[in-house]
């Protein structure tokens, strides 16, 4: 997960800061961002256990994942403005309290509907915390060098790669432990937040029409795709949801075109770099989260693996990807950003193509090895993509551009789970749906790699 929009703060460079040590703000921000990224992926391997305990069908399992991701994606567009209005410290505290409370509700959920609703509230809390956590760091460190190091820690402090392994381990006790683990972490972060200085507030406008229209458009589209797997494309609920999607999208575009303070200025998309970078983020997160989703179900329901063994199957991919960030930075410095971006997306396309053609008898250890290129793609391609995006827009547009980029990433994950889940539940069986899902991922990756050949990185001084 790359850096989302951050609320600005009126600090003076180089001025001495009085008050609590900045380590409290950094520690609280790191813990908050840790549980946010962990919950985006930790649930995958526990889905079969959730289904056996709470019941439900494939669409219910899809909503357990997408309820969180959708709210996260839709509210990221305006979360920076909310953080400015309330102040970073207060916004982070409110978001963290909501996240901890909804995590408790997830762990205590008596049925699938309650779990999905609680996951949506989790996404609301996560969207509120994300920009304010970065703003806390910016406010705490006046020295640009120290601030840069703190932000680097924040960037690599996520837990998305550890999600499948952590989920499989916690599910050995109970799938509910996946959510209860957020309680002690969240409470420690709240205690640390008490030692953080109060943040300034700014009276910034809020695009209510655009925000509501964005939530409706993303939610209705995802609902329609999920229901299409059960009803078919001609089903009444599918057609109604798609009609709502179109209507909400029209309202959103009109609000951004005519509003005085649009949440997403449409002229931002005149930049080829913004469009390509957003599409790259969509393709990667969609492919990565979609692959983890389908293989988590396939390994347990078709191969008979436990949740823990399924989590272990993702270890080679996640462990090796942790060491690639340094390589990506060196490649970008020497050859420019296009080399690691295109190379990463080609690795993802090659890996998923190979997975799609492997026979059903392929041992799990071999599947784990072939997944490695997909995991490497993230650190190889996403950091230079983010850098190119931010270099291509004016400084006052950096937050908006980052918000669009991260929203496209989360939307890619939500739609991938919706589409791939529908394919898994198709008439041709899970293995056929798995291969179709991998083929779609490969196409997205190769198209993204080709598009990045046309990137125009900003000239270096």
């Amino acid at each position: 997960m790359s850096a989302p929009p951050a609320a600005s703060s009126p600090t003076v460079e180089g001025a001495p800061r009085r008050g609590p040590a900045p380590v409290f703000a950094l520690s609280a921000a790191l813990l908050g961002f840790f549980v946010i990224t962990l919950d985006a992926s930790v649930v995958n391997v526990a889905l079969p256990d959730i289904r056996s305990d709470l019941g439900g069908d494939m669409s219910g399992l899809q909503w357990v994942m997408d309820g969180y991701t959708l709210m996260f994606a839709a509210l990221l567009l305006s979360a920076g403005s909310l953080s400015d209005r309330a102040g970073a410290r207060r916004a982070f505290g409110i978001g963290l309290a909501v996240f901890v409370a909804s995590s408790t509700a997830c762990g205590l959920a008596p049925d699938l509907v309650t779990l999905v609703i609680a996951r949506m509230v989790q996404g609301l809390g996560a969207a509120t915390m994300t920009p304010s956590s970065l703003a806390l760091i910016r406010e705490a460190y006046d020295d640009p060098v120290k601030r840069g190091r703190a932000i680097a820690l924040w960037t690599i402090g996520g837990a998305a790669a550890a999600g499948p392994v952590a989920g499989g381990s916690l599910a050995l006790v109970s799938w509910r432990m996946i959510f209860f683990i957020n309680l002690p972490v969240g409470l420690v972060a709240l205690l640390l937040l008490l030692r953080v200085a109060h943040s300034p507030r700014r009276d910034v406008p809020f695009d209510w029409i655009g925000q509501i229209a964005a939530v409706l458009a993303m939610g209705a589209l995802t609902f329609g795709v999920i229901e299409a797997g059960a009803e078919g494309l001609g089903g009444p609920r599918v057609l109604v949801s798609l009609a709502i999607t179109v209507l909400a999208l029209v309202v959103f575009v009109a609000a951004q075109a005519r509003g005085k303070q649009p949440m997403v200025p449409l002229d931002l998309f005149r930049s080829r770099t913004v469009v390509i970078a957003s599409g790259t983020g969509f393709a990667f997160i969609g492919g990565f989260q979609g692959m983890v989703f389908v293989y988590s179900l396939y390994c347990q329901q078709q191969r008979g693996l436990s949740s823990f063994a399924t989590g272990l199957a993702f270890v080679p991919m996640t462990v090796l990807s942790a060491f690639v960030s340094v390589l990506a930075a060196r490649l970008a410095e020497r050859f420019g950003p296009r080399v690691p971006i295109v190379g990463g997306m080609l690795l993802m396309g090659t890996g998923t193509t190979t997975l799609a053609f492997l026979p059903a008898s392929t041992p799990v250890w071999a599947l784990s090895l072939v997944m490695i290129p997909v995991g490497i793609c993230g650190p190889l391609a996403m950091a230079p993509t983010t850098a190119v995006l931010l270099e291509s827009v004016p400084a006052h547009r950096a937050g908006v551009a980052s918000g669009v980029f991260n929203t496209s990433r989360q939307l890619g994950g939500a739609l991938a789970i919706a589409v791939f889940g529908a394919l898994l539940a198709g008439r041709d069986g899970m293995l056929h749906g798995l291969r179709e899902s991998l083929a779609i991922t490969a196409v997205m990756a190769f198209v993204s790699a080709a598009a990045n050949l046309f990137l125009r990185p900003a000239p270096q001084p």
Side-chain angles (χ1 to χ4, degrees), residues 175-250:
W175 64 265
R176 299 180 186 273
M177 291 299 299
I178 289 173
F179 302 106
F180 287 143
I181 196 66
N182 294 332
L183 273 64
V185 179
L187 291 176
V188 171
L190 285 172
L191 290 175
L192 290 168
L193 195 64
L194 295 176
R195 301 296 303 275
V196 177
H198 288 278
S199 300
R201 303 183 193 179
R202 295 175 57 231
D203 187 15
V204 295
F206 186 77
D207 185 3
W208 288 102
I209 296 177
Q211 181 61 84
I212 294 172
V215 172
L216 284 175
M218 294 183 193
L221 176 60
T222 305
F223 179 83
V225 173
I226 289 176
E227 289 301 309
E231 293 187 4
L233 290 175
R237 288 189 290 184
V238 176
L239 295 177
V240 170
S241 64
L242 294 180
I244 294 174
T245 301
V246 173
L247 179 61
L249 187 59
V250 170

Side-chain angles (χ1 to χ4, degrees), residues 375-401:
I376 290 176
C377 172
L380 196 61
M382 287 299 98
T385 298
T386 305
V388 168
L389 172 74
L390 296 179
E391 290 170 2
S392 69
V393 297
H396 69 280
R397 287 281 183 87
V400 176

